[in-house]
Amino acid sequence: MNVNVRYFAAARAAAEIDGETVTLAPDATVADLVAALRTRGDKLSTVLDRCSFLCDEIAVRDMTKTLETNQTVDVLPPFAGG
């Protein structure tokens, strides 16, 4: 199954791309996606430790949430400012 991943702020800088399509096994979870993204390198893996995730613009509270084909997952590091 394909999942669309969009990176923001520090996650975008670490991934060195705005987004990508990731192919996962059927019934993959958000945790499975994060594990796959960690293989992209240490820089991205470190940022992922601090990120939150949105699935089709809804916050993920349970990393065991099963993903669906063509779902969009946003990778959001903590934001500073005020």
Side-chain angles (χ1 to χ4, degrees):
M1 119 178 102
N2 291 327
V3 175
N4 302 307
V5 179
R6 298 188 302 184
Y7 300 103
F8 293 87
R12 179 184 296 153
E16 299 179 348
I17 53 176
D18 293 340
E20 63 182 312
T21 300
V22 177
T23 302
L24 299 168
D27 298 324
T29 65
V30 175
D32 294 329
L33 171 63
V34 173
L37 296 178
R38 287 185 187 284
T39 67
R40 304 283 197 271
D42 291 339
K43 205 167 159 184
L44 181 57
S45 184
T46 299
V47 172
L48 289 171
D49 289 337
R50 297 175 279 137
C51 287
S52 58
F53 304 91
L54 302 178
C55 287
D56 292 335
E57 301 182 12
I58 298 172
V60 173
R61 303 283 183 237
D62 179 4
M63 296 296 283
T64 64
K65 174 187 174 22
T66 302
L67 296 168
E68 299 175 16
T69 298
N70 297 322
Q71 194 160 30
T72 297
V73 177
D74 294 329
V75 180
L76 305 166
F79 292 93

